[in-house]
Amino acid sequence: MRAAIYARYSTDLQSDASIEDQHRLCLRLIDGNGWQEAETYSDRGLSGASHLRPGYQRLLEDARRNVFDVVVAEGLDRISRDQEHIAAFFKQMRFQGIPIITVAEGEISELHIGLKGTMSSLFLKDLAQKTHRGLEGRVRKGKSAGGITYGYNVVRDMCADGSITTGERRINESQAQIVQRIFQDYSHGLSPRNIASDLNEEGIPGPRGTWGASTIYGNHQRGTGILNNELYIGRLVWNRQRFVKDPNSGKRQAQPNPPEEWVIEDVPDLRIVPDDLWNAVKTRQEKTRNAAISDGIKKLGRTKRARHLFSGMLTCGCCGGGVIQVGKQYYGCSSQRNKGTCDNRLTIKRADLEDRVLSGLKEQLLHPDLIAEFAKAYQEEYNRLAGSIQQERINATRDLAQVERKIAHLIDAISDGMFHASMKDKLTALEARKAELEALIAAASDEPPVLLHPGLSDVYREQVANLTTALRDPSSQAQATSIIRSLLSEIRLVPEDGTYALELVGELAGLLALRAPQNEQSRPEAACSTFCSSQVVAGAGFEPATFRL
């Protein structure tokens, strides 16, 4: 048997030799069973709570290609610590006929998945609580809870006992001058966009390489951005927000905490900005926010709702930055416009972009394979509902027989002289129930259900053809737009020969993959004139599909 070894350790603080130690234990198990080592898959410094690990994903891909016959690991928690992911991994391996053997637990069964998965989840929860407690204790001492803020340096000093200090910071004088400059420029009337552009033109490195307007302005409610960081006035604010992992994307999403849970400590030795300059900036920010509100109603440009069909979903194929509206009718690269760090100067008319995407979708959704898939899904759901109706009729018939028996017993008791006032009420209730069940049975048809609507394909074609109309109709526009946006995570605009090629990323691209032959999906060079697959669809929970229009 060909045995694949998987090894992993969680953080960079652990030794890289951990992989070698796990490999040695697994190899001993392989030799003891007379198997042959196929390949070793490893992930270094990656948490088991995430399935987005290169080695783990490569292990799944090779399993689908029958590269090995058995998976060997030191323990089940090395493969994953997430209940959902470990269960999905087990189901995938069982489907491929590949057993999972670990040094700690032996051959993995459903029992191990339930118990060990629960234990791993509890371990992660307990670890998060203890980590949060330790970070809070560090903040209450005026120290950093992690990360580095622009304008400061991390201090690593040797203590008397030989240990290294953690959480200590010192003002970086050169960066502190940039922070003061940003506050002064904004208080004098410059916009964050102009400030960022000036800093980039002067070659001054920002917190993440280049400067952007959002880096400077941030979010005043969450305390993000240079202009909202209270550490610059000697006040350390921690626990403003918490991060929760999205189960669909696997990415962490920030959620604000109530103010009573914030931890605030004064650190006057870290002050960079004087109070008068800070107050001047806060005054201008307040005026700017108030100017965007009329009669208590936020203007359209300030709301979070997307103004157009694909607003906020467009990215530049050159730099990966966002594509924004650069005029009333055109889209362009935000990095090129706001930072000057991208060479992509192409623009595209909003109406043309939307028409290209929608016309391409309509053309591909009308492929016979997708129509067949729609008919299959419709038939399965229809059969399920029809079976449910038939089951309800059977249950009603059974209940009617029980009610009739109870009525007969009551009548027999009354005939024998065992009458009581409560019997009348009970008999009335039973008669009402009998009438209800008889009506339900009479309404149910004895004829077998039609398993497939004869005009189902025509209905599907009509709905697809009306896609653009639905997106323009005010009565259905909001719902149709929401559905389209929920199926697409990103639209990439890739410059090619003076125009844009459009790449769709998300579940909708995975749906369209149903119409592509498997041999075309597996060949990167396979392409067609208007629509091609540039990535193999791995299924739910894996990398999203990408298609080009």
Side-chain angles (χ1 to χ4, degrees), residues 54-108:
Y56 178 78
Q57 290 294 333
R58 195 161 57 88
L59 175 69
L60 289 172
E61 182 63 28
D62 286 351
R64 287 189 287 269
R65 297 191 293 110
N66 295 320
V67 174
F68 49 81
D69 305 309
V70 60
V71 176
V72 178
E74 180 189 25
L76 193 60
D77 58 351
R78 295 300 88 197
I79 297 176
S80 179
R81 288 189 181 274
D82 186 275
Q83 285 180 294
E84 179 183 2
H85 297 159
I86 193 62
F89 180 81
F90 177 76
K91 290 169 65 176
Q92 179 72 21
M93 294 302 106
R94 184 172 60 178
F95 174 76
Q96 298 293 139
I98 300 174
I100 306 172
I101 312 293
T102 66
V103 177
E105 298 93 3
E107 183 170 359
I108 301 302

Side-chain angles (χ1 to χ4, degrees), residues 425-495:
D425 297 334
K426 188 171 184 180
L427 187 60
T428 302
L430 288 172
E431 290 289 351
R433 177 59 177 164
K434 178 183 177 181
E436 179 184 346
L437 292 172
E438 287 176 343
L440 180 62
I441 295 172
S445 175
D446 293 330
E447 297 179 0
V450 178
L451 296 183
L452 186 60
H453 193 285
L456 186 59
S457 298
D458 295 334
V459 173
Y460 176 83
R461 291 187 179 93
E462 181 181 359
Q463 294 298 326
V464 173
N466 292 335
L467 177 62
T468 304
T469 304
L471 289 167
R472 298 290 185 264
D473 185 2
S475 62
S476 60
Q477 182 180 22
Q479 182 179 7
T481 300
S482 177
I483 293 174
I484 289 290
R485 291 178 64 87
S486 67
L487 294 174
L488 288 174
S489 60
E490 181 183 356
I491 299 178
R492 298 175 188 151
L493 278 67
V494 182

Side-chain angles (χ1 to χ4, degrees), residues 275-296:
D275 286 336
D276 56 346
L277 182 56
W278 174 270
N279 293 334
V281 167
K282 296 295 110 178
T283 300
R284 188 189 171 199
Q285 284 182 318
E286 188 69 23
K287 290 181 179 179
T288 303
R289 288 192 292 269
N290 290 339
I293 300 176
S294 175
D295 298 329

Side-chain angles (χ1 to χ4, degrees), residues 9 35 95 145 148 176 178 200 217 237-238 240 296 333 353 363 448 454:
Y9 65 86
W35 299 336
F95 174 76
I148 182 62
I178 302 301
N200 288 326
Y217 198 82
V237 182
W238 181 76
R240 282 181 178 266
C333 176
L353 183 144
E363 177 184 352

